Amino acid sequence: SPREGSVKSEEGEVEQKEAVEQAQVEEEAEAVVEAEEDIYPVPTDPSRGEGEDEEAGKTKVVEPQLTEFAPTNFWPQELSVTVTAADGEDGHPLFEVVVSVAGEVVEGAGCTHRFGAFRDMKNEAAKHDTHKANASFPRTYMRNKLGVALTAAQLFERAQGLQAWITAMIAAELPLAAAEVLRLFLVFEGRGEEQGEEQGEEQGEE
């Protein structure tokens, strides 16, 4: 009936009015809480000193850590490495690294290790440059973990992978610390321009 419709309409208006008033009350309450937070300090932790609480309230500024990169002459321009696989005395394959400059083998440089030693060196270098150290490093075969010997083809692939990885690391712009890790592993003491200058001085003295 028209009367019932009018009553329902009035009830709807009342409910809507009450909802608006409730929303206003909640907004006012939130404003009071925010005002109190501005006026009254946040309770401090009794287990902390006053100085510590003051420091905790400040925004910590992290100072940027400047990375020192290896100089451009860290490696000789014509430095190259070759890696070959060989049988070890205990049955574990070894990988021999030969270091050459301008096509001539550098005496006293180079090394021979099991694959695990290369992986450890890579992990050490990764502490200073994770992306470059981990990029393209040869994978570890599951069968090798289980004690199953790798095939000749897999050993060749791993040796080629190590050679490519070392060559890429030498060519990359590395943090000085990472470059030093690789240099010590290769037992290479020479340095690009400095090595050439030293050789020139020796020839001049002769």
Side-chain angles (χ1 to χ4, degrees), residues 58-161:
K58 297 178 181 178
T59 302
K60 291 186 178 180
V61 178
V62 179
E63 294 293 336
Q65 299 296 320
L66 298 178
T67 301
E68 181 183 2
F69 285 88
T72 55
N73 66 333
F74 188 86
W75 303 104
Q77 291 184 355
E78 299 184 17
L79 178 71
S80 62
V81 298
T82 56
V83 181
T84 55
D87 293 330
E89 296 180 356
D90 56 357
H92 293 284
L94 299 174
F95 296 90
E96 180 183 8
V97 183
V98 176
V99 180
S100 302
V101 174
E104 296 186 8
V105 176
V106 180
E107 295 184 7
C111 57
T112 302
H113 297 289
R114 290 175 56 178
F115 180 71
F118 287 86
R119 186 172 54 237
D120 291 342
M121 180 268 290
K122 181 267 297 183
N123 290 337
E124 186 64 27
K127 294 178 180 179
H128 310 286
D129 195 319
T130 305
H131 176 70
K132 291 175 184 174
N134 288 324
S136 302
F137 189 81
R139 66 190 181 92
T140 299
Y141 292 97
M142 183 59 67
R143 61 184 296 170
N144 199 212
K145 287 184 175 181
L146 299 175
V148 180
L150 300 181
T151 64
Q154 289 173 329
L155 289 174
F156 177 78
E157 179 185 353
R158 175 170 283 180
Q160 291 295 298

Side-chain angles (χ1 to χ4, degrees), residues 4 7-8 21-22 33-34 44 49 59 70 78 92 122 126 141 166 193:
E4 290 179 353
V7 171
K8 289 183 179 180
E21 292 177 351
Q22 180 64 28
V33 171
E34 291 177 358
T44 59
T59 302
E78 299 184 17
H92 293 284
K122 181 267 297 183
Y141 292 97
I166 294 174
E193 295 176 3

Side-chain angles (χ1 to χ4, degrees), residues 139-203:
R139 66 190 181 92
T140 299
Y141 292 97
M142 183 59 67
R143 61 184 296 170
N144 199 212
K145 287 184 175 181
L146 299 175
V148 180
L150 300 181
T151 64
Q154 289 173 329
L155 289 174
F156 177 78
E157 179 185 353
R158 175 170 283 180
Q160 291 295 298
L162 288 172
Q163 179 174 312
W165 179 81
I166 294 174
T167 300
M169 288 286 283
I170 291 173
E173 183 183 15
L174 293 177
L176 180 59
E180 283 290 353
V181 169
L182 181 58
R183 184 186 68 80
L184 292 174
F185 186 81
L186 297 176
V187 197
F188 183 75
E189 298 182 358
R191 209 169 180 182
E193 295 176 3
E194 293 182 4
Q195 185 186 34
E197 292 174 359
E198 291 176 359
Q199 291 178 350
E201 291 177 357
E202 291 177 358
Q203 291 176 359

